[in-house]
Each structure stands twice: as structure tokens, then as C-alpha cells.
Amino acid sequence: MTVTFEHVTLGQRVLFGAGKAAAHLSAEVGRLGAGRVMVIAGSSEAPLVEKLCAGIDVVLYYNDVAPHVPVGKAEKARAAALAHGIDLVVCVGGGSTTGLAKAIALTTHLPIIAVPTTYAGSEATNVWGLTEASRKTTGVDDHVLPVSVIYDAELTLSLPAGLSVASGLNALAHCIDSMWAPRADPINQALAAEGIRALAGGLPLIKHNPQDLAGREQALYGAYLSAVAFASAGSGMHHKICHVLGGAYNMPHAETHAVVLPHVLAYNAPFAPDAERRIAAALGTADAVAGLEALRSVLAAPTALKDHGLAEAAIPQAVELILPAIPGSNPRPVSAMELEHLLRAAYVGTTPAAPSMPRKESSHA
């Protein structure tokens, strides 16, 4: 059998090491020759940022950050960067902080150094997202890819176990979606499989002992692999669902991904047997759906969208918004009825099960 594919690897410098973030940041700022640095971080990260930035000169500390990057906040941050003559943006935090840095880079082309404190993975992708009038728009642009990423597991120690689990399952969703996303290929599938293995090993250690640095290092490593796979493979059905829910209903990013993931896996797995076997093997189980549920049980993962702000009355509208965005390459055809059934199951929090084959009349709309 002949193997044919086209793969693109994004160029990025990655520095990984516990307790080394401050030294790595100082070295990277020097390497890039930056003289006017803007640091983006939420106000809760202020003590961490003070230590992290002790070795660099910061012109502007910026903390007006919000989930899903509202357009108004993006424009305000861009204006601040221009007003202060910024030549480098450093973002410290999770996906919201990285997203705002990307919004600045999208129009200014300023370089970014990302210092993640969660497992969101946005730091390793060239994907941006902005929300306006309750609709989230995403795109791809190499200018938003951080030039450097500094990973330090010690910076994640303050992330509570519950948020660590949700954030880690968001990373796991990057891996699983990459198995059948529009540009899936043997390379990003291999990265995704290793990411699943690392996350499945690290997250239970964090749940058992939130101060377990080895578990957090594994999860951080897995999160990076998941993001690289996702950046290469593109957005599959899972991410299209979650992007719409997050933007339209202001739902928390990580928890939404954590709840939706098992339902999409159960929906697609019977129609992607090779991917299902790889996912199962990475989880160390014979069945991918059962393996994910076992992991989620150990982690006491979020289970229901109703617990995170989705109103049941919004589900029909959500179906209308999501259906056109689902890739035609999804392993299983998707109809409005099937999508609504999936969302209602995720809303209530029922345990997903692998479905029967779809009826002949089902079609992607």
C-alpha cells in the first residue's frame, strides 16, 4: 500500500525545564534583541509575573484579559502596544492570555514569547480566535505563532487539580481530534498518540497529588504535543462544536472541551477503526471509548454542559450554528438530528456509548 501525504511543520523554539522559566525568558528576550517588552497576564498572575520578569525590562504590564478574546479587548490591547512602541509581546497564563497576544500579533506582526501556566496548547499553534456579537471567528496566520515557548512545570503548580484536569482534557481533545481532522497524516497522528499517552499518564498523578511535579511535567509535554498535532491536522468535529459553544454562549473553554470530547469520540470511533485503535493503544486499553471513560472516572472529569452555562433551550440554535462548520471529512456523516442528540447527551451528562451505524438518509449538511 502506498502512503501519500503532505505535512507542514511549524518553526518555533521550545525551552522546557522546571524552575528555569525566568532564566529562559531573559535569554530569549536578549536573543531577540527586544528593548520594549509588553507582558500580558491576568491580575491573579501578578506575583508569578514579578518573579518571572525580574531579569528583563518591561515597558508595559497588561492585564485586561477575557476568555474567547472579545474584539473590543483585542483592539484596546493593539492600541496599547502601538502607543508604547512595543517590539515584543510576552504572554503568561492560559489560552485567554495567549489568545490576546495572538490578536495583537495578527495586525501588528509583533513577535510573541509564550509562557503557559495551563495545558491549553494555544502557544504551539498558528490559530487565532476572536469573538464579536456572541460569534467566535477563528483563522490561521503564521504571524500569530509564538516565536518561542517556555515551559516550566513549576508555573502550573498553582493551577488547582480540577482546572488542571479540565485543561488537560482540552489538550487530550486536541490529540483525539487530530486523528481525523481535515489534514490528519501519519506524522501528526504519531504526535497525537504520544500526547495521549503522556496526558493519560500525567493527569492522574496531578489528581492524586496536585503538587506532583513529575505528573505536571508529563501533562505539559503532552499538551505541547497535542497542540503541534492540532496545528498540523486542523480543526475536526470536536473543536468546531466547542468553538461555537464557547463563542455563542460564553462557556468556559476547558470545561466545555472536557464534557464534549467523549461524546464526539463515541460518535466517530466506529467509523475510524484505525484511529480508534491508536487512541485505545495510547490510553493503554482495548477500546478507545471505554478507555477514555475510565480515565475520566479516575479524574472526576466534568460531565454535563448544563453545569457550565449552557441553557437547554439554546441547543436547537447551537445545532444550526455548528452543523455548517463540521468538516466534510469527518469519519461519520453528521445530520442535524444526530448532532442535536449528541448535544443533548452532553448537556445532561449521560455516559456516551459507541453508536450503531447511521441510517442511509443521514447526511452532512
Side-chain angles (χ1 to χ4, degrees), residues 122-365:
S122 176
E123 68 278 355
T125 80
N126 57 354
V127 178
W128 57 267
L130 293 168
T131 302
E132 185 173 27
S134 297
R135 297 293 180 267
K136 187 168 185 177
T137 301
T138 61
V140 175
D141 191 311
D142 285 347
H143 289 109
V144 309
L145 177 73
V147 296
S148 305
V149 184
I150 296 170
Y151 289 108
D152 184 338
E154 289 187 0
L155 302 184
T156 72
L157 288 172
S158 62
L159 190 66
L163 286 177
S164 295
V165 164
S167 183
L169 289 172
N170 177 19
L172 195 68
H174 285 114
C175 295
I176 290 176
D177 224 22
S178 294
M179 291 292 185
W180 44 57
R183 299 189 303 275
D185 64 45
I187 296 175
N188 48 50
Q189 287 176 329
L191 292 169
E194 173 64 3
I196 293 170
R197 186 202 63 75
L199 288 160
L203 292 176
L205 296 177
I206 298 171
K207 178 67 177 178
H208 175 70
N209 176 11
Q211 298 303 301
D212 188 317
L213 198 61
R216 290 188 177 273
E217 282 194 323
Q218 272 206 66
L220 206 54
Y221 164 63
Y224 169 69
L225 291 173
S226 77
V228 174
F230 172 70
S232 172
S235 292
M237 176 181 177
H238 170 88
H239 280 81
K240 296 301 184 182
I241 292 172
C242 293
H243 285 165
V244 169
L245 293 178
Y249 309 109
N250 196 32
M251 297 184 65
H253 186 81
E255 289 85 349
T256 301
H257 280 270
V259 171
V260 170
L261 176 60
H263 297 277
V264 174
L265 176 60
Y267 187 87
N268 276 342
F271 298 78
D274 290 342
E276 191 277 337
R277 283 191 291 271
R278 296 190 74 164
I279 295 167
L283 289 169
T285 61
D287 177 87
V289 175
L292 178 60
E293 277 307 296
L295 176 62
R296 285 170 47 80
S297 178
V298 168
L299 298 176
T303 58
L305 293 177
K306 67 180 181 180
D307 296 335
H308 301 286
L310 182 67
E312 187 174 11
I315 291 176
Q317 180 193 47
V319 170
E320 292 180 5
L321 295 173
I322 293 166
L323 196 61
I326 294 177
S329 59
N330 192 65
R332 177 179 180 178
V334 184
S335 72
M337 181 176 68
E338 290 163 334
L339 181 57
E340 181 166 345
H341 178 76
L342 185 154
L343 288 179
R344 290 192 180 279
Y347 171 81
V348 174
T350 58
T351 300
S356 58
M357 296 290 288
R359 294 172 300 280
K360 289 184 179 179
E361 67 266 27
S362 294
S363 61
H364 183 275

Side-chain angles (χ1 to χ4, degrees), residues 3-78:
V3 177
T4 303
F5 63 89
E6 180 178 327
H7 178 85
V8 176
T9 298
L10 299 176
Q12 184 178 66
R13 184 176 173 86
V14 176
L15 299 109
F16 198 106
K20 297 184 176 182
H24 281 158
L25 178 59
S26 179
E28 282 302 280
V29 170
R31 184 180 71 86
L32 295 170
R36 300 190 64 80
V37 179
M38 175 182 187
V39 176
I40 301 175
S43 54
S44 63
E45 303 278 17
L48 182 155
V49 168
E50 183 177 352
K51 293 180 181 179
L52 182 67
C53 298
I56 65 173
D57 293 324
V58 178
V59 171
L60 176 63
Y61 287 99
Y62 195 89
N63 64 10
D64 191 4
V65 179
H68 308 297
V69 195
V71 166
K73 290 192 179 294
E75 291 174 346
K76 181 182 173 184
R78 290 164 178 163

